[in-house]
Amino acid sequence: MATVSFHDATRVYPGADRPAVDKFNLEIGDGEFMVLVGPSGCGKSTTLRMLAGLEDVNSGSIFIGDRDVTTLPPKDRDIAMVFQNYALYPHMSVADNMGFALKMAGVPKAERDQRVNEAAKLLGLEEFLARKPKALSGGQRQRVAMGRAIVRKPQVFLMDEPLSNLDAKLRVSTRTQIAALQARLGVTTVYVTHDQVEAMTMGDRIAVMKDGLLQQVDTPLTLYDAPVNLFVAGFIGSPAMNLMPAKIVDGGAQIGDYTVPVSRDVLAKATGEDTVVIGIRPENFAVSTTGISVDVAVVEELGADGYLYGTITGSGDDAITAQQIVAHISARTAPQRGTTIRLNAADPAGVHVFSEKTGLRIS
Amino acid sequence: MPHFLSSRPDSRLIPLPWQVPLAEWPADYLVALPRGISRHVVRFVAVGQSIYAAKEVVEELALHEYRMLAELHRLGAPAVEAVAVVTDRIDEAGQPLDPVLITRHLEFSLPYRTLFDRGVRPETVTRLIDALVVLFVRLHLIGFLWGDVSLSNVLFRRDAGEFAAYLVDAETSEIHPSLSDGQREHDLQIAHVNLYGEFLDLEAGGVLDPWLQPQVLADSVVSRYHDLWNELTGMEEFSGSEPFRIENRVRRLNALGFDVAELDIDMDGSKIKIQPKVVEAGYHSRRLMRLTGIDAEENQARRLLNDLDTYRASHGLQHMDESVVGSKWMRNCYQPVLEAVPFELRGKREPVQIYHEVLEHRWYLSERQHREVPLLEAAQAYVHDILEGLPDEKVSALDEPSVELRKLANPFDPSQGYVDDDGPPPFDPWEAAAEDVPAPDFLDINALRAKAQPSE
């Protein structure tokens, strides 16, 4: 097992006008589950591939433990790409399907059997070891594929969108299984996904990327509760955080006819700007007598809870009103569509303030 | 209503039962062709005289694979042809179904399991590996990173005495302007492991010749790849007094079936350094196409061109324009031979392959009878002695296997195992626990907060 570190790692594709990954710095702890997440084209897969040795590193360096692997060929890096391929061989038992790569590497039979048995135990596949793989379900096949990687005992697991070819249900159960398994194995894991819910439910820490640049690395809760900029604020969370431009006024920031209280110290950080962006997560909204005025467009009830979709109203700047917002509400007190209500932050600590000019968090 | 994405639509595909999951399609629509097991539901579908392969797969991958195959087609690489992606499928209960990727079935193609089930000689295995390596290198030369090289993911076609390999699965692939050494190494590493697994599996199934060792075969893929890659792209340095070595290199590449589009020649004092920069496969098949219009695999083309050259010499036509000789040869040799094949036997081999096999048979007869057997006589003898006894390969239907005498549980899907497989699977608590899962796009922040609380 080992740590992984990127030092100013940069990848520029030939003919590109900007790097696909630009001066990427990240320290991944021993045994940590690190998720790289971001929209398509953000550089997350390129970053993983630089670590795997599939992409040249144009400048900077990458370490696994204290070994500089920047220029090592992939096979010498002691990493395993999981789910790369999981063709299962019909004439071979599940045990042989899991252990054949060890045979190729010349691992003696006794040790092979031991490693396969250990992996099967972890994966709940002991009962299946002697069987042929043909009748296995999709989920069981995935576990055999995980077993193939586990028996190799690599220093680092790499997974690039491993769940993308599974149906929705299998995707959810497999992500839970991978996370639980990784925690038990304690093998450092770097996992790439475009899906922020997958990232949030699996990672010990998450590195959010955009346009080849690392935006923020933190635990899921810190990303959620204290996003460093507008991109992270909007990217993490489902439904997304409401990000509302607001005019700086005395005592706060004005949205429609309501002034959201913001401390003078915070507003001082937006010197020379007329507006800031106020961020409030849907579940931090509550219907109130004072607050932002909203025309209710749709109320979507989901059991005891529901989502309210509406438009900010009230006098003031058109660029500020007419904005769509979403609030998480209790279905029992759900307002009718077509009415106008007021929404306020249930927890004032959950009001995020960003500079509109730099996009950075100032609260 | 299902939605079709297609660059060459076949309207006969539209009335197929798209509202039914592929695994449940009625047998009337299907053909049981031999194939390997796959991660997804795959079926062969017959519409009129055409056969298509249909694969049910999530939308992102279906579209990706469609585009990759279309790009390979555009680049002239040997791969199956993507026909359509059918999206927006809804079943009768109103539930969405995964899209289906449709590719055209490659006529006269042989999956490796069919070849092995019929029993193959060790030399044939070497030829299959050679064909796979040529395909692999050709794909790398055009910047195609395969990601899942394996025997299951190719189809073989007869190519004179050799084989030609075609890519059938591009799910994991990517196209780059060019590949880095790390990318090629990685692809090769995957190939090494996959082929080792496949040969072990053939061994376990009792269809691999006992003289052949999975490890040696898998290692040979890697070494042959390196040999071919180095020959095609490697730098060569020699003394300025040996300039003929430039032409030698070009000839060697031509002999391997590659054209040299760009050769870098560097003269540094008394030394000459050469390195091919752009090489293109299909040296012989392009020449044959130009002279005769015949579309052939590389070794078939080489064989036919030899015959054409012999014809030219033996008829004293050396001074005639090459393309005129080509059309004479077509009229006097190629067409009469093919016309000698009765219509009902034409599905057994591709026409070009038949011509090659007639040439082989003529050589054999001439040796045996100590005389120059005329071409047409040889063709008639070939039809009678050989062709009549061969299996039909146009659509290589499921023959009775020679070794693997086990019956598939579902003839349309080898992934479902054999009739005599193990009994019902044991209870699996992981599967049971996976039954009750939340929607994939629901972020349960409260559960995350609860998990993050240090336990008391």
Side-chain angles (χ1 to χ4, degrees), chain A residues 191-220:
Chain A
Y191 186 106
V192 163
T193 178
H194 67 282
D195 179 343
Q196 55 94 13
V197 178
E198 200 169 295
M200 292 288 279
T201 46
M202 297 182 79
D204 292 329
R205 281 194 304 155
I206 299 169
V208 184
M209 296 181 70
K210 182 192 168 227
D211 298 335
L213 294 168
L214 181 60
Q215 305 289 309
Q216 185 171 6
V217 195
D218 256 310
T219 62

mmCIF file of all heavy atoms in Angstrom, chain A residues 191-220:
data_model
loop_
_atom_site.group_PDB
_atom_site.id
_atom_site.type_symbol
_atom_site.label_atom_id
_atom_site.label_comp_id
_atom_site.label_asym_id
_atom_site.label_seq_id
_atom_site.Cartn_x
_atom_site.Cartn_y
_atom_site.Cartn_z
ATOM 1 N N TYR A 191 -10.490 6.957 -8.130
ATOM 2 C CA TYR A 191 -11.732 6.602 -8.815
ATOM 3 C C TYR A 191 -12.215 7.807 -9.598
ATOM 4 O O TYR A 191 -12.330 8.903 -9.059
ATOM 5 C CB TYR A 191 -12.739 6.224 -7.727
ATOM 6 C CG TYR A 191 -14.066 5.687 -8.200
ATOM 7 C CD1 TYR A 191 -14.360 4.332 -8.088
ATOM 8 C CD2 TYR A 191 -15.045 6.527 -8.704
ATOM 9 C CE1 TYR A 191 -15.583 3.832 -8.486
ATOM 10 C CE2 TYR A 191 -16.270 6.036 -9.110
ATOM 11 C CZ TYR A 191 -16.536 4.682 -8.995
ATOM 12 O OH TYR A 191 -17.752 4.193 -9.381
ATOM 13 N N VAL A 192 -12.488 7.610 -10.878
ATOM 14 C CA VAL A 192 -12.933 8.733 -11.715
ATOM 15 C C VAL A 192 -14.402 8.577 -12.067
ATOM 16 O O VAL A 192 -14.837 7.490 -12.460
ATOM 17 C CB VAL A 192 -12.089 8.788 -13.015
ATOM 18 C CG1 VAL A 192 -12.771 9.652 -14.068
ATOM 19 C CG2 VAL A 192 -10.707 9.315 -12.716
ATOM 20 N N THR A 193 -15.157 9.643 -11.907
ATOM 21 C CA THR A 193 -16.552 9.624 -12.324
ATOM 22 C C THR A 193 -16.990 11.035 -12.712
ATOM 23 O O THR A 193 -16.401 12.012 -12.283
ATOM 24 C CB THR A 193 -17.462 9.075 -11.204
ATOM 25 O OG1 THR A 193 -18.817 9.125 -11.665
ATOM 26 C CG2 THR A 193 -17.355 9.885 -9.932
ATOM 27 N N HIS A 194 -18.052 11.102 -13.549
ATOM 28 C CA HIS A 194 -18.615 12.411 -13.856
ATOM 29 C C HIS A 194 -19.820 12.664 -12.951
ATOM 30 O O HIS A 194 -20.397 13.735 -12.980
ATOM 31 C CB HIS A 194 -19.053 12.464 -15.317
ATOM 32 C CG HIS A 194 -20.211 11.542 -15.590
ATOM 33 N ND1 HIS A 194 -20.038 10.183 -15.736
ATOM 34 C CD2 HIS A 194 -21.530 11.777 -15.671
ATOM 35 C CE1 HIS A 194 -21.227 9.621 -15.919
ATOM 36 N NE2 HIS A 194 -22.156 10.557 -15.884
ATOM 37 N N ASP A 195 -20.168 11.640 -12.166
ATOM 38 C CA ASP A 195 -21.421 11.669 -11.418
ATOM 39 C C ASP A 195 -21.143 12.107 -9.974
ATOM 40 O O ASP A 195 -20.528 11.381 -9.200
ATOM 41 C CB ASP A 195 -22.006 10.253 -11.467
ATOM 42 C CG ASP A 195 -23.313 10.127 -10.690
ATOM 43 O OD1 ASP A 195 -23.608 11.010 -9.862
ATOM 44 O OD2 ASP A 195 -24.023 9.143 -10.909
ATOM 45 N N GLN A 196 -21.612 13.303 -9.619
ATOM 46 C CA GLN A 196 -21.268 13.826 -8.291
ATOM 47 C C GLN A 196 -21.927 13.028 -7.165
ATOM 48 O O GLN A 196 -21.370 12.938 -6.068
ATOM 49 C CB GLN A 196 -21.558 15.322 -8.195
ATOM 50 C CG GLN A 196 -22.964 15.749 -8.546
ATOM 51 C CD GLN A 196 -23.860 15.852 -7.334
ATOM 52 O OE1 GLN A 196 -23.396 15.839 -6.207
ATOM 53 N NE2 GLN A 196 -25.162 15.942 -7.584
ATOM 54 N N VAL A 197 -23.089 12.416 -7.419
ATOM 55 C CA VAL A 197 -23.723 11.611 -6.358
ATOM 56 C C VAL A 197 -22.851 10.383 -6.081
ATOM 57 O O VAL A 197 -22.592 10.030 -4.927
ATOM 58 C CB VAL A 197 -25.155 11.187 -6.755
ATOM 59 C CG1 VAL A 197 -25.761 10.322 -5.658
ATOM 60 C CG2 VAL A 197 -26.028 12.410 -6.999
ATOM 61 N N GLU A 198 -22.348 9.776 -7.156
ATOM 62 C CA GLU A 198 -21.444 8.640 -7.005
ATOM 63 C C GLU A 198 -20.199 9.071 -6.214
ATOM 64 O O GLU A 198 -19.782 8.395 -5.276
ATOM 65 C CB GLU A 198 -21.046 8.172 -8.414
ATOM 66 C CG GLU A 198 -20.528 6.763 -8.507
ATOM 67 C CD GLU A 198 -20.427 6.345 -9.977
ATOM 68 O OE1 GLU A 198 -21.480 6.259 -10.633
ATOM 69 O OE2 GLU A 198 -19.304 6.129 -10.451
ATOM 70 N N ALA A 199 -19.652 10.207 -6.575
ATOM 71 C CA ALA A 199 -18.461 10.719 -5.889
ATOM 72 C C ALA A 199 -18.750 10.941 -4.405
ATOM 73 O O ALA A 199 -17.979 10.518 -3.537
ATOM 74 C CB ALA A 199 -18.010 12.029 -6.533
ATOM 75 N N MET A 200 -19.862 11.592 -4.113
ATOM 76 C CA MET A 200 -20.185 11.950 -2.733
ATOM 77 C C MET A 200 -20.429 10.712 -1.877
ATOM 78 O O MET A 200 -20.098 10.686 -0.701
ATOM 79 C CB MET A 200 -21.441 12.835 -2.709
ATOM 80 C CG MET A 200 -21.236 14.206 -3.305
ATOM 81 S SD MET A 200 -20.237 15.271 -2.263
ATOM 82 C CE MET A 200 -21.470 15.829 -1.081
ATOM 83 N N THR A 201 -21.055 9.675 -2.459
ATOM 84 C CA THR A 201 -21.370 8.502 -1.638
ATOM 85 C C THR A 201 -20.188 7.549 -1.512
ATOM 86 O O THR A 201 -20.196 6.685 -0.659
ATOM 87 C CB THR A 201 -22.574 7.721 -2.205
ATOM 88 O OG1 THR A 201 -22.392 7.585 -3.611
ATOM 89 C CG2 THR A 201 -23.867 8.445 -1.954
ATOM 90 N N MET A 202 -19.162 7.690 -2.362
ATOM 91 C CA MET A 202 -18.068 6.723 -2.300
ATOM 92 C C MET A 202 -16.774 7.257 -1.690
ATOM 93 O O MET A 202 -16.066 6.526 -1.007
ATOM 94 C CB MET A 202 -17.765 6.206 -3.713
ATOM 95 C CG MET A 202 -18.932 5.462 -4.312
ATOM 96 S SD MET A 202 -18.551 4.810 -5.945
ATOM 97 C CE MET A 202 -17.626 3.362 -5.523
ATOM 98 N N GLY A 203 -16.441 8.511 -1.973
ATOM 99 C CA GLY A 203 -15.094 8.982 -1.660
ATOM 100 C C GLY A 203 -14.847 9.310 -0.191
ATOM 101 O O GLY A 203 -15.741 9.794 0.492
ATOM 102 N N ASP A 204 -13.616 9.037 0.268
ATOM 103 C CA ASP A 204 -13.180 9.622 1.551
ATOM 104 C C ASP A 204 -12.982 11.113 1.318
ATOM 105 O O ASP A 204 -13.380 11.936 2.101
ATOM 106 C CB ASP A 204 -11.837 9.027 1.996
ATOM 107 C CG ASP A 204 -11.964 7.568 2.381
ATOM 108 O OD1 ASP A 204 -13.048 7.185 2.864
ATOM 109 O OD2 ASP A 204 -10.996 6.810 2.192
ATOM 110 N N ARG A 205 -12.300 11.412 0.216
ATOM 111 C CA ARG A 205 -12.173 12.803 -0.218
ATOM 112 C C ARG A 205 -12.450 12.866 -1.715
ATOM 113 O O ARG A 205 -12.330 11.864 -2.416
ATOM 114 C CB ARG A 205 -10.760 13.332 0.069
ATOM 115 C CG ARG A 205 -10.571 13.722 1.532
ATOM 116 C CD ARG A 205 -9.310 14.536 1.721
ATOM 117 N NE ARG A 205 -8.137 13.838 1.212
ATOM 118 C CZ ARG A 205 -7.021 14.468 0.814
ATOM 119 N NH1 ARG A 205 -6.949 15.805 0.849
ATOM 120 N NH2 ARG A 205 -5.985 13.781 0.384
ATOM 121 N N ILE A 206 -12.798 14.062 -2.153
ATOM 122 C CA ILE A 206 -13.158 14.246 -3.551
ATOM 123 C C ILE A 206 -12.350 15.408 -4.118
ATOM 124 O O ILE A 206 -12.248 16.459 -3.484
ATOM 125 C CB ILE A 206 -14.664 14.558 -3.681
ATOM 126 C CG1 ILE A 206 -15.485 13.385 -3.129
ATOM 127 C CG2 ILE A 206 -15.049 14.850 -5.124
ATOM 128 C CD1 ILE A 206 -16.948 13.702 -2.968
ATOM 129 N N ALA A 207 -11.777 15.188 -5.288
ATOM 130 C CA ALA A 207 -11.085 16.281 -5.979
ATOM 131 C C ALA A 207 -11.985 16.721 -7.125
ATOM 132 O O ALA A 207 -12.254 15.942 -8.040
ATOM 133 C CB ALA A 207 -9.742 15.789 -6.510
ATOM 134 N N VAL A 208 -12.460 17.959 -7.057
ATOM 135 C CA VAL A 208 -13.338 18.473 -8.110
ATOM 136 C C VAL A 208 -12.481 19.194 -9.144
ATOM 137 O O VAL A 208 -11.661 20.045 -8.795
ATOM 138 C CB VAL A 208 -14.385 19.449 -7.530
ATOM 139 C CG1 VAL A 208 -15.363 19.891 -8.627
ATOM 140 C CG2 VAL A 208 -15.146 18.810 -6.374
ATOM 141 N N MET A 209 -12.664 18.838 -10.408
ATOM 142 C CA MET A 209 -11.857 19.439 -11.473
ATOM 143 C C MET A 209 -12.734 20.140 -12.505
ATOM 144 O O MET A 209 -13.879 19.763 -12.717
ATOM 145 C CB MET A 209 -11.023 18.368 -12.176
ATOM 146 C CG MET A 209 -10.000 17.719 -11.281
ATOM 147 S SD MET A 209 -9.019 16.494 -12.171
ATOM 148 C CE MET A 209 -8.046 17.556 -13.252
ATOM 149 N N LYS A 210 -12.143 21.144 -13.133
ATOM 150 C CA LYS A 210 -12.823 21.831 -14.233
ATOM 151 C C LYS A 210 -11.756 22.418 -15.149
ATOM 152 O O LYS A 210 -10.786 22.997 -14.665
ATOM 153 C CB LYS A 210 -13.700 22.942 -13.664
ATOM 154 C CG LYS A 210 -14.501 23.693 -14.710
ATOM 155 C CD LYS A 210 -15.106 24.950 -14.096
ATOM 156 C CE LYS A 210 -15.646 25.850 -15.144
ATOM 157 N NZ LYS A 210 -15.222 27.239 -14.951
ATOM 158 N N ASP A 211 -11.918 22.267 -16.429
ATOM 159 C CA ASP A 211 -10.992 22.809 -17.431
ATOM 160 C C ASP A 211 -9.527 22.494 -17.121
ATOM 161 O O ASP A 211 -8.656 23.350 -17.278
ATOM 162 C CB ASP A 211 -11.148 24.332 -17.546
ATOM 163 C CG ASP A 211 -12.538 24.730 -18.006
ATOM 164 O OD1 ASP A 211 -13.189 23.890 -18.661
ATOM 165 O OD2 ASP A 211 -12.975 25.855 -17.699
ATOM 166 N N GLY A 212 -9.259 21.293 -16.655
ATOM 167 C CA GLY A 212 -7.884 20.898 -16.389
ATOM 168 C C GLY A 212 -7.316 21.408 -15.077
ATOM 169 O O GLY A 212 -6.155 21.167 -14.761
ATOM 170 N N LEU A 213 -8.136 22.140 -14.326
ATOM 171 C CA LEU A 213 -7.648 22.723 -13.069
ATOM 172 C C LEU A 213 -8.371 22.119 -11.881
ATOM 173 O O LEU A 213 -9.589 21.918 -11.913
ATOM 174 C CB LEU A 213 -7.877 24.240 -13.066
ATOM 175 C CG LEU A 213 -7.079 25.029 -14.094
ATOM 176 C CD1 LEU A 213 -7.606 26.447 -14.192
ATOM 177 C CD2 LEU A 213 -5.595 25.026 -13.730
ATOM 178 N N LEU A 214 -7.587 21.851 -10.844
ATOM 179 C CA LEU A 214 -8.174 21.353 -9.609
ATOM 180 C C LEU A 214 -8.895 22.513 -8.924
ATOM 181 O O LEU A 214 -8.321 23.577 -8.717
ATOM 182 C CB LEU A 214 -7.049 20.814 -8.726
ATOM 183 C CG LEU A 214 -7.465 20.225 -7.398
ATOM 184 C CD1 LEU A 214 -8.400 19.050 -7.595
ATOM 185 C CD2 LEU A 214 -6.231 19.768 -6.616
ATOM 186 N N GLN A 215 -10.164 22.312 -8.577
ATOM 187 C CA GLN A 215 -10.947 23.379 -7.948
ATOM 188 C C GLN A 215 -10.902 23.278 -6.423
ATOM 189 O O GLN A 215 -10.717 24.264 -5.735
ATOM 190 C CB GLN A 215 -12.412 23.303 -8.398
ATOM 191 C CG GLN A 215 -12.594 23.317 -9.903
ATOM 192 C CD GLN A 215 -12.275 24.674 -10.503
ATOM 193 O OE1 GLN A 215 -12.776 25.695 -10.051
ATOM 194 N NE2 GLN A 215 -11.411 24.698 -11.491
ATOM 195 N N GLN A 216 -11.113 22.086 -5.902
ATOM 196 C CA GLN A 216 -11.169 21.896 -4.447
ATOM 197 C C GLN A 216 -10.992 20.412 -4.150
ATOM 198 O O GLN A 216 -11.510 19.562 -4.875
ATOM 199 C CB GLN A 216 -12.536 22.364 -3.920
ATOM 200 C CG GLN A 216 -12.660 22.318 -2.403
ATOM 201 C CD GLN A 216 -13.947 22.983 -1.879
ATOM 202 O OE1 GLN A 216 -14.801 23.393 -2.674
ATOM 203 N NE2 GLN A 216 -14.082 23.083 -0.570
ATOM 204 N N VAL A 217 -10.249 20.127 -3.082
ATOM 205 C CA VAL A 217 -10.135 18.743 -2.605
ATOM 206 C C VAL A 217 -10.591 18.737 -1.169
ATOM 207 O O VAL A 217 -10.020 19.459 -0.336
ATOM 208 C CB VAL A 217 -8.679 18.239 -2.565
ATOM 209 C CG1 VAL A 217 -8.649 16.725 -2.427
ATOM 210 C CG2 VAL A 217 -7.908 18.693 -3.742
ATOM 211 N N ASP A 218 -11.585 17.959 -0.843
ATOM 212 C CA ASP A 218 -12.088 17.928 0.533
ATOM 213 C C ASP A 218 -12.935 16.695 0.755
ATOM 214 O O ASP A 218 -13.230 15.960 -0.173
ATOM 215 C CB ASP A 218 -12.903 19.195 0.814
ATOM 216 C CG ASP A 218 -12.113 20.199 1.666
ATOM 217 O OD1 ASP A 218 -11.576 19.755 2.693
ATOM 218 O OD2 ASP A 218 -12.034 21.374 1.270
ATOM 219 N N THR A 219 -13.383 16.553 1.991
ATOM 220 C CA THR A 219 -14.321 15.474 2.290
ATOM 221 C C THR A 219 -15.660 15.842 1.651
ATOM 222 O O THR A 219 -15.924 17.017 1.379
ATOM 223 C CB THR A 219 -14.533 15.347 3.809
ATOM 224 O OG1 THR A 219 -15.106 16.577 4.262
ATOM 225 C CG2 THR A 219 -13.238 15.079 4.542
ATOM 226 N N PRO A 220 -16.506 14.839 1.427
ATOM 227 C CA PRO A 220 -17.807 15.143 0.802
ATOM 228 C C PRO A 220 -18.568 16.231 1.563
ATOM 229 O O PRO A 220 -19.108 17.158 0.943
ATOM 230 C CB PRO A 220 -18.550 13.807 0.871
ATOM 231 C CG PRO A 220 -17.476 12.771 0.887
ATOM 232 C CD PRO A 220 -16.304 13.381 1.607
#
